[in-house]
Amino acid sequence: MTSGNEISQVAPEGRTLINVRTGMFGATGDTTGYDLMNTVVTMPGATERPYGSWFDDAVDILAELLGDKADEAIQYVVVDRGELTLHVAREHLLDVVRHLRDDQDLRFEMCLGVSGVHYPADAGRELHAVYPLLSMTHNRQLRLEVSVSDEDPHLPSVTSVYPMNNWHERETWDFFGIVFDGHPALARIEMPDDWVGHPQRKDYSLGGIPIEYKGAEVQPPNERRQYR
Amino acid sequence: MSTTESFTPTGAFTEDPDAAEYTVNGGDWTDVAEEAVRLGQQRIVMNMGPQHPSTHGVLRVMLEVEGEIVKEARAGIGYLHTGIEKNMEYRTWTQGVTFCTRMDYVNSMNNEHAYVLGVEKLLGITDDIPERASVLRVLMAELSRIASHLVAVGTGGNELGGTTIMTHSFTAREEVFRIIEMISGLRMNNAYMRPGGVAQGLPEGGVWRIRDMVTKVRGYVDEVADLHLKNPVFVGRTKGIAKLDLAACMALGVTGPVLRSAGLPYDLRKAQPYSGYEDYDFQVPTSTDADAYSRTLLRMEEIYESLKIVSQAADRLEGLGDGPVMVADKKIAWPAQLSIGSDGQGNSAQHIRHIMDESMEALIHHFKLVTEGFDVPAGQVFQATEGPKGLLGVHLVSDGGTKPWRAHFRDPGFNNLQALSMMTEGGQVADVVVAIASIDFVLGGVDR
Amino acid sequence: MHIDENTPDAGWFTGTLEATVGFLRAGSLWPVTFGLACCSIEMMATGTSRFDISRHGSEVFRGSPRQADLMIVAGRLSNKMAPILRQVYDQMAEPKWVISQGVCASSGGMFNNYAIVQGVDHIVPVDIYLPGCPPRPEMLINALTTLQDEVKKQPLWQSRRKEIAAAAEAAALKATPTSDQFGLLR
């Protein structure tokens, strides 16, 4: 997306910039001529304490276990729609997950995979890896989010702590090109081995072909006008 | 066995890691055997699938065998990768249901259930869903669970040579399908649940038909149990086979009947109830045998439990009468109710009359909501539900628009399939089939 | 018809070898199990008691392509699976036929994207395109009986591939290109 108004493209601190929309109804650019119809779309921002529920306790325990690394490791905390998200620095990801799994008051035994999300507009942290964690002992769920840049898409693999994430990390490598350092065998899993590119990134086309039927041609969904 | 004593080492079973490997790409078995003899060792790399009658779809298993013993097993997946998650990013939130229902295709309703609950959490309307819609969702999810377990039990039996088990299970499944078809209009890939509710209510006479179905299915499942569970061949081939104890389950993130067969009664319908599951009376069958037999047994017991939930849901639907099945907010609710017309199922005649003859605004509203969809505030959620195969989760990210920014499904089959190596290595080649059947995954869900 | 020694004027049965072979072939089309996705479940349902494909002689689903006459491509075909489909097809002995079950196999269907082959006719020649998502078992049986009618009529001793290619080419030359069919889109 291009816009004349550069200032509006900066996301507020502690937020993930998703998109900057100009104009309305999916038309390309601001057609009003005033160039004022810019909408900055961001993810919900950092939450101030108290977070409510068991969230404060869990974050406190984790911070205590991390010691003086806590401020650096936990970048910010988001509580949104009743769910807790910890934004974690990748250097400390392994420490964080180890504490989350091993401490008896946290005890997140299960990592339910890793979901890659691509935010091309979020300069410097385009690729996000989202780890949903589940504690069966305490019946709780929380989410870790780690962001890396397109130029340096490296993350430590959590397979040493959560062996169950083996295939999930391979899938995220396959679809998003996030490299999980320390993974035992980071090979493609869904796409053929010789496939070029990482198909679920936003800069990878959906790859549909136009459908022709009795003289009329229907474009594939990614080339139609978008009502975003 | 007596052969063990008379066995004289031939040097065939070498532990030499540098020994030449002989890959079998089909061909005549005599040639294969001769080549193996010539190479002086018996470790053979075998490829099973992706086109194989007993791999539950297009799974590929790369086996290293020494004689009949599996030394190493690796699963290769991706042969049914469909790009569903990427496709959903180009469709509205409502249209997303039609994609996710095709993931784990023997279990359409639970996929839809997880997805619509996720969208509703994003919208913040979880508490506004009408009770009738929630009951219908539970009903359909349980019917789907029964159908899924019947396929698991049936095809599992078929792979061990008992075709009657399959035909009988499928007969029961057809009874379930009659109800699913009556309510949603389709046998499979129903797209019945919508963000905000369900597509339509129960048709006339529905409750009676459901009760009739419950009796019939219970009868069929009784017959399958009689036929199957005492069968000496089945017992001999599954008892103590494909073991996966609790520690291994936890390390590999295995959920569903496989985890419950290892002794942990973890079921999200009990642990974190959704859609009012806390109001239904049902048990979570558990075993401690951790083998293929106990998993089959648990699936059959779960069918009975699901039938109990279906009966309770039918009672509730009878009590609720003709209530709304869609959220009241007109900005989200699908504008039309479906009905059966002379030319099949479609928008109801009253609705067509209303938008075409009476109200221009209604027409605009219908057009906008159907073509453009509704906006979902930016944010992300993770919704976990209990699918028949385990924990079925969905991670949804919205950019505030009418389409998902990212939709990702944590399919239980994808995760549980990682356990295949651990279940099969050190066992017999023939038990690989048993292990595959006992995990019960569907490649549509695994590969998405 | 019941024929034995008591039937008047029995003892002779005349017909061409071609028609007899066609009749026999059509009555025992053995499918190879090529279940890919949703349609394969409906294919299995077709084989079981409510629909019972064995009434039409096709209940013997073969795991080995060498023993099969018919490939029912049931479901969406990914790019990764495409070479395998072709290999299995090549392993089948002539004469062989292909039913493309469901829209995904026929045209890519709703999955118009990077992963799915937009129609298995890019990979193997298709005899019957069966729409539906997934088609009901009744529809699959209809496709099978339609194919049986074709099989009955098929002449012997001809290279089927050449024949299909020639027929397709002739039909294509005769037909109005879809790009010229204006005003028909409804």
Side-chain angles (χ1 to χ4, degrees), chain B residues 50-51 58 77-84 87 102 105-106 155 170-171 173-174 178 181 187-189, chain C residues 33-34 36-38 41-42 44 48-51 76 78 80-81 84 110-111 113-115 133-134 136:
Chain B
Q51 198 270 327
V58 285
I77 60 169
Y79 294 95
L80 194 56
H81 176 59
T82 315
I84 285 177
N87 252 104
R102 284 163 173 80
Y105 37 76
V106 301
T155 53
F170 270 66
T171 310
R173 187 168 169 270
E174 290 299 331
R178 283 181 213 267
E181 194 179 351
R187 287 161 58 87
M188 296 171 72
N189 300 349
Chain C
T33 53
F34 210 90
L36 291 168
C38 332
I41 302 291
E42 288 295 63
M44 284 155 72
T48 54
S49 52
R50 180 170 165 192
F51 305 100
R76 50 207 188 225
S78 70
K80 197 171 175 178
M81 193 66 192
I84 296 141
M110 67 194 292
F111 301 111
N113 64 18
Y114 64 93
C133 189
R136 296 180 63 92

Side-chain angles (χ1 to χ4, degrees), chain C residues 12 44 59 63 70 84 86 97 121 127 137 161 164:
Chain C
W12 294 98
M44 284 155 72
E59 81 281 17
L70 169 65
I84 296 141
R86 181 70 212 192
W97 296 272
D121 46 8
D127 296 278
R161 207 176 284 128
I164 288 176

Side-chain angles (χ1 to χ4, degrees), chain B residues 239-362:
Chain B
K239 273 237 161 121
I241 301 298
K243 279 214 163 197
L244 196 71
D245 65 4
L246 188 56
C249 282
M250 295 306 290
L252 293 170
V254 174
T255 46
V258 183
L259 176 66
R260 291 193 282 272
S261 79
L264 186 68
Y266 189 77
D267 187 321
L268 276 161
R269 292 175 295 171
K270 291 280 189 196
Q272 296 168 9
Y274 48 92
S275 289
Y277 265 115
E278 64 272 25
D279 302 332
Y280 295 88
D281 173 32
F282 66 101
Q283 305 289 318
V284 180
T286 314
S287 162
T288 49
D289 297 347
D291 61 357
Y293 183 82
S294 63
R295 286 168 209 146
T296 309
L297 198 63
L298 289 188
R299 289 200 177 95
M300 303 206 72
E301 282 176 8
E302 277 185 30
I303 294 174
Y304 290 115
E305 295 302 322
S306 291
L307 284 171
K308 264 161 70 178
I309 302 178
V310 167
S311 300
Q312 292 168 47
D315 294 345
R316 267 172 212 223
L317 285 171
E318 199 173 33
L320 285 168
D322 283 340
V325 291
M326 188 53 94
V327 72
D329 185 353
K330 290 288 179 204
K331 291 280 182 198
I332 293 165
W334 194 250
Q337 283 290 302
L338 297 177
S339 70
I340 309 282
S342 54
D343 55 348
Q345 196 179 41
N347 291 339
S348 68
Q350 298 97 307
H351 181 73
I352 300 289
R353 198 179 309 118
H354 181 58
I355 62 172
M356 299 312 284
D357 295 350
E358 293 165 5
S359 167
M360 186 66 194
E361 289 75 19

Side-chain angles (χ1 to χ4, degrees), chain C residues 109-145:
Chain C
M110 67 194 292
F111 301 111
N112 190 358
N113 64 18
Y114 64 93
I116 294 296
V117 176
Q118 301 296 307
V120 289
D121 46 8
H122 290 283
I123 313 292
V124 291
V126 175
D127 296 278
I128 302 274
Y129 295 93
L130 172 58
C133 189
R136 296 180 63 92
E138 291 95 332
M139 293 167 75
L140 180 58
I141 291 176
N142 181 49
L144 181 72
T145 49

Side-chain angles (χ1 to χ4, degrees), chain C residues 86-170:
Chain C
R86 181 70 212 192
Q87 189 178 353
V88 172
Y89 177 79
D90 288 341
Q91 284 171 345
M92 287 166 66
E94 293 275 2
K96 53 191 172 187
W97 296 272
V98 177
I99 291 178
S100 141
Q101 188 190 3
V103 281
C104 299
S106 302
S107 73
M110 67 194 292
F111 301 111
N112 190 358
N113 64 18
Y114 64 93
I116 294 296
V117 176
Q118 301 296 307
V120 289
D121 46 8
H122 290 283
I123 313 292
V124 291
V126 175
D127 296 278
I128 302 274
Y129 295 93
L130 172 58
C133 189
R136 296 180 63 92
E138 291 95 332
M139 293 167 75
L140 180 58
I141 291 176
N142 181 49
L144 181 72
T145 49
T146 312
L147 180 66
Q148 284 177 342
D149 291 344
E150 293 297 311
V151 172
K152 278 178 198 161
K153 282 186 267 173
Q154 187 159 316
L156 280 174
W157 329 125
Q158 277 195 23
S159 163
R160 184 170 161 278
R161 207 176 284 128
K162 275 185 204 154
E163 181 202 328
I164 288 176
E169 196 174 349

